[in-house]
Amino acid sequence: MNLTEVPDLRAAQSPTGSAVADDHTDLDNAAFLDAVKRHATTLASRGVAAGDVVAVMLPNTAALVTTLFAAWRLGAAVTPINPALAPAEVAYQVMDAEAKVLVTDDEIISPATVVTTADLAKGASNGGSRAVSYSENALALVIYTSGTTGRPKGVMLDHKNLNAMCSMVIEALELTEADRSLLILPLFHVNGIVVSTLSPLLSGGSTVVAGTFSPKTFFHLVERVRPTYFSAVPTIYTILSNLPDEVQPDTSSIRFGICGAAPASVELIEKFQSRYGVPIIEGYGLSEGTCASTINPLHGVRKPGTVGKPFPGQQVRIVDADGTPVEAGEVGEVFITGPNIMRGYLNRPEETAKTIVDGSLRTGDIGRLDEDGYLILVDRAKDMIIRGGENIYPKEIEAVTYQMPGIAEVAVVGRPSDVYGEEPVLFASLTPQSDLTVDDVLAHLRTNLAKYKVPVEVTILDGLPKNPVGKLDKPTLRRSLADA
């Protein structure tokens, strides 16, 4: 379906049907269309036209969703901005994307014209009554990477990418008009946009946007809005799994939960599923692949410890350092092919050429395919530790550590060594009431790992740092080692 036509078609088919809600707003399809038209009128009055970019820096709200569709209605693209960024970081993204306007409610000095949500609401609904001529090759989103290896890069996704990805999600998850997603991940990230917003809206369903995730209110929200699915990161599943025993919510409306952004341990998945009766479907993907490339099946065999099989329409292959496909079961770099692969990095042809090789996305992840075609991630290529010539994959050490009751989160990174080049060090946080010690962790690792894989140091913290999308922030941990 043409994304620019979604609000109109929904309003025509079911004007009073649910569309988008947040903590303070509940838009039916008619109100959703009206808001999109008003926002489009305001944006057009500020000079936004086909081919432009609209920067949007808002918290998780329905207004962010309607702004997406308003920009697309005008033929413009959107670059969502993390509201937690510093002013200089915001200015960098606005300028790098050459945004015509910045939609925000924050007081900020911007290189682009600032438009508030109050301004958007003042637009006349008849002014944006007709969408521009649609092109599937038109730029739709510019999603900026987290910037852990340098300046953030703008991932260019066109309408063809979004339509292909949403079709795959709808097919794999069997989404229908009866589905309602609960969005708890940030809307400046492609997962929140594609899996929790566009896919349910395209399938005729609805979405509820939670302003922020809170373990104290999450299940109350579930019981009130009755979602059929939600998407979260392992950290959130860990927090929910460790809630007090007296928390016994009604989760009967939920068909499944999706887990992505980082690998989840087998123990975590089993703990959450057994406690709440909600199956977790683990998947894997990158912003450069419009969100997702593999997923464990909704029906059939789900293999904890894997991230599933390729989505319909995508191909996953494992290659060696020379780009030659490896034998089945062998470890190598993960390459992905499909209509969801990004157009490229904005204004970075050299970076694009390194990442898209002969039409395939070079992920930088190390993995292998098992005998049934399920992808098992071994680690990030850049995270691999070489200790005295031995390759060490931090994920293997982390998986062994997660076997210990009382472990909440684990991250293993490399520390420079004059003798060995690099050595593994481990950071962990504990679950409430856990009395594990450093010696306990080391004893467990020495029993279950080869000597050269055992971390030379274990540090227990109250919590591990995370980046804006909820992934464990290993670069910060590495910097802390360098500072020390």
Side-chain angles (χ1 to χ4, degrees), residues 42 44 55 78 83 144 174 179 255 259 290 301 336 361 391 438-439 454-455 463-464:
T42 298
V78 175
Y144 276 75
E174 299 179 5
D179 279 295
R255 294 200 290 130
C259 186
T290 320
V301 177
I336 297 167
L361 175 64
N391 292 347
V438 168
D439 289 340
V454 175
L464 302 189

Side-chain angles (χ1 to χ4, degrees), residues 365-448:
D365 289 315
I366 303 299
R368 62 183 175 85
L369 294 171
D370 74 4
E371 65 278 6
D372 298 314
Y374 288 70
L375 177 62
I376 299 167
L377 294 177
V378 176
D379 222 322
R380 288 288 293 169
K382 66 184 181 186
D383 287 341
M384 186 178 72
I385 300 165
I386 303 178
R387 182 184 189 183
E390 296 278 5
N391 292 347
I392 299 174
Y393 294 104
K395 185 174 179 291
E396 180 184 4
I397 304 172
E398 291 161 1
V400 171
T401 310
Y402 273 123
Q403 295 170 0
M404 302 184 70
I407 291 290
E409 295 177 317
V410 181
V412 174
V413 298
R415 183 175 69 185
S417 166
D418 292 337
V419 177
Y420 296 104
E422 276 187 302
E423 292 179 312
V425 297
L426 183 148
F427 295 87
S429 64
L430 306 180
T431 60
Q433 287 80 52
S434 174
D435 58 0
L436 284 176
T437 67
V438 168
D439 289 340
D440 295 331
V441 175
L442 282 171
H444 175 76
L445 295 177
R446 287 172 181 143
T447 302
N448 293 280

Side-chain angles (χ1 to χ4, degrees), residues 172-173 175 179-185 191 195-196 218-219 222 227-234 236-237 240 251-260 264 268-269 272-273 276-284 294-298 302 306:
L173 301 181
L175 300 183
D179 279 295
R180 167 172 282 198
S181 77
L182 175 56
L183 171 62
I184 56 176
L185 296 178
N191 185 305
V195 175
S196 297
F218 175 76
F219 284 119
V222 166
T228 58
Y229 75 97
F230 66 95
S231 182
V233 296
I236 289 177
Y237 286 109
L240 295 176
T251 61
S252 58
S253 69
I254 303 176
R255 294 200 290 130
F256 55 85
I258 302 170
C259 186
L268 172 59
I269 292 175
F272 186 90
Q273 291 181 154
Y276 296 114
V278 175
I280 293 181
I281 300 174
E282 195 172 7
Y284 157 77
T294 68
I295 193 165
N296 268 281
L298 185 61
R302 290 194 293 272
T306 79

